[in-house]
Amino acid sequence: MAGIKFEKVWKRFGEVSVLKDLNIDINDGEFLVLVGPSGCGKSTALRCLAGLEEITDGNIWIGDRVVNDVPPKDRDIAMVFQSYALYPHMSVYDNMAFGLKLRKLPKTEIDTRVKEAAEMLSIGHLLDRKPKALSGGQRQRVALGRAIVRDPSVFLMDEPLSNLDAKLRVQTRAEISRLHQRLKTTFIYVTHDQTEALTMGTRIAVMRDGILQQLDTPQNLYDSPANMFVAGFIGSPSMNFFEAKLDRVQGGLAVVVGKEFVVPVPSSATEQLGTHVGKNIYFGIRPEDIHDAHYVPRGVDESARLMTMVNVIEPLGSEVYAYIENSGKEFVGRLDPRTGARTGQQVEIVVDMNKMHVFDRETEKALV
């Protein structure tokens, strides 16, 4: 068991900096997810931790030792890759036992570890099969089992579910979460899928262009994003953003997007935003905080109302995605399935301004 620390870590390939002054403290037993778009440096950070890449500057700690110059085999970590990396000529049993045999463990201990891990992952009946006789989900479990039998201090997982179909991803996601609860070991998991990040992580590190944008719990990232990038990356569908202005309207503070798109700022945020009156801002609101005026959830302030034109409707059974327009700005709302909104017709909506987000126009940092 071990905590992890990235301390001012830089990684350069020639003139290109892939990691830029990365500082992350990962607690012992934590499930940390590194998330971000392709090319943001998340897999590179994992490979540096595993020892598969040398860092250019800074320190990486595993437990109480700096491992910059420690070979991968001596770092007490196990890695699960996107490609299962199984030996095709070996049985499931031999694939899982291979690393233990190299360490010259007694046969009885190897047998016990392999069978316990196989039972944990429900692949005990597959131990005699070769990888070609397994489904994608079964192969991924074998790759997980091979990591588990090593009993490492840290598990590293690099997009392990991206080769699975949608249903299997959900199932395997839950299995990995249960595995973490059972083993109580440090897990570091890389993905570009924000749904995986939100459902699995104890904390999430959002990265962009090699720079850590925000490190927090899933709920705090969703509720209080530090900047527009995090706000847009976390949540599905993405947050709606508008170029707007903060102004005084009828004695109160309001967000002005267009002539017909004026929404009052709640009193709870007025003090924070008072110094920005008259300034251009970015206004953000999540689709789930936009409601059909006829079906507003209990407790939502209904004072921010807008008439909108419906451009597209996507019924999903439990909810309806409505692509709506006001003042030439199109945005999406997640409406109650009972909504009467229809394509080409008008619908009145209520914007829950207590859930609004406001960002500085120049820095894109959150103001509320």
Side-chain angles (χ1 to χ4, degrees):
M1 304 285 273
I4 306 291
K5 185 175 184 179
F6 287 85
E7 184 180 50
K8 299 182 178 179
V9 172
W10 287 76
K11 173 62 182 176
R12 298 184 183 91
F13 293 99
E15 297 297 313
V16 180
S17 295
V18 181
L19 296 178
K20 304 170 186 174
D21 197 30
L22 184 62
N23 292 280
I24 302 178
D25 271 318
I26 304 162
N27 301 320
D28 183 15
E30 184 171 18
F31 196 130
L32 182 94
V33 180
L34 295 173
V35 71
S38 296
C40 71
K42 56 190 186 296
S43 289
T44 301
L46 205 70
R47 291 175 63 82
C48 288
L49 176 56
L52 303 177
E53 299 280 359
E54 287 187 14
I55 62 174
T56 308
D57 203 0
N59 292 309
I60 294 178
W61 298 72
I62 298 179
D64 56 1
R65 65 173 180 160
V66 176
V67 296
N68 297 7
D69 301 317
V70 176
K73 66 183 179 65
D74 297 326
R75 294 194 181 194
D76 196 19
I77 54 100
M79 193 159 180
V80 180
F81 297 92
Q82 177 180 347
S83 59
Y84 316 120
L86 302 178
Y87 296 108
H89 62 288
M90 291 185 183
S91 67
V92 168
Y93 183 98
D94 289 334
N95 264 286
M96 291 173 66
F98 186 69
L100 303 181
K101 289 176 181 176
L102 288 180
R103 288 158 64 181
K104 296 183 169 54
L105 266 62
K107 282 187 177 180
T108 52
E109 185 177 348
I110 291 174
D111 191 63
T112 300
R113 287 197 190 189
V114 169
K115 288 180 176 174
E116 280 182 356
E119 196 64 32
M120 192 186 302
L121 295 165
S122 303
I123 53 173
H125 61 294
L126 303 175
L127 291 175
D128 294 329
R129 291 194 194 178
K130 299 280 179 65
K132 67 180 180 181
L134 304 177
S135 68
Q138 290 168 337
R139 290 180 199 179
Q140 192 56 273
R141 288 186 204 174
V142 175
L144 283 168
R146 182 179 54 193
I148 291 167
V149 296
R150 293 187 55 192
D151 192 25
S153 296
V154 183
F155 283 93
L156 308 181
M157 299 189 179
D158 191 2
E159 305 208 29
L161 308 185
S162 51
N163 289 337
L164 305 182
D165 63 54
K167 185 177 180 181
L168 204 51
R169 285 179 80 153
V170 173
Q171 181 185 331
T172 312
R173 195 168 74 202
E175 287 174 0
I176 292 174
S177 293
R178 278 196 293 268
L179 190 63
H180 174 251
Q181 291 164 13
R182 188 167 175 175
L183 297 176
K184 294 180 169 52
T185 308
T186 307
F187 277 51
I188 303 176
Y189 188 102
V190 162
T191 182
H192 64 273
D193 185 328
Q194 51 100 12
T195 303
E196 278 180 28
L198 287 168
T199 53
M200 298 174 79
T202 312
R203 288 190 302 159
I204 301 171
V206 183
M207 296 184 65
R208 180 190 191 188
D209 298 333
I211 299 170
L212 178 66
Q213 301 292 307
Q214 190 172 356
L215 173 62
D216 214 327
T217 63
Q219 195 62 50
N220 284 345
L221 283 178
Y222 178 85
D223 291 335
S224 306
N227 56 42
M228 281 183 68
F229 176 78
V230 176
F233 196 84
I234 299 295
S236 180
S238 296
M239 185 182 290
N240 299 296
F241 294 110
F242 306 90
E243 292 184 354
K245 188 176 183 178
L246 278 172
D247 228 331
R248 296 281 178 192
V249 177
Q250 296 178 352
L253 194 58
V255 173
V256 181
V257 177
K259 189 176 180 182
E260 304 296 327
F261 195 147
V262 180
V263 280
V265 172
S267 56
S268 57
T270 301
E271 189 175 337
Q272 286 175 285
L273 294 174
T275 57
H276 299 276
V277 174
K279 294 182 180 178
N280 292 326
I281 52 143
Y282 287 113
F283 167 59
I285 193 75
R286 295 196 183 279
E288 48 270 38
D289 298 322
I290 295 171
H291 309 284
D292 184 320
H294 292 97
Y295 302 102
V296 180
R298 191 175 298 172
V300 172
D301 182 353
E302 299 186 29
S303 58
R305 290 172 170 261
L306 295 172
M307 288 304 300
T308 63
M309 177 61 69
V310 181
N311 292 336
V312 178
I313 287 289
E314 293 181 347
L316 296 172
S318 61
E319 60 192 2
V320 171
Y321 289 178
Y323 292 83
I324 50 184
E325 187 177 319
N326 179 299
S327 301
K329 311 288 185 182
E330 187 178 76
F331 51 105
V332 60
R334 286 172 65 174
L335 307 185
D336 188 287
R338 296 169 293 174
T339 182
R342 297 292 181 267
T343 301
Q345 297 180 4
Q346 285 196 324
V347 64
E348 186 178 23
I349 62 162
V350 168
V351 180
D352 186 356
M353 290 297 285
N354 285 306
K355 301 286 184 67
M356 73 169 184
H357 299 266
V358 178
F359 304 93
D360 185 275
R361 186 69 74 88
E362 292 181 6
T363 65
E364 297 188 356
K365 289 183 178 179
L367 298 176
V368 178

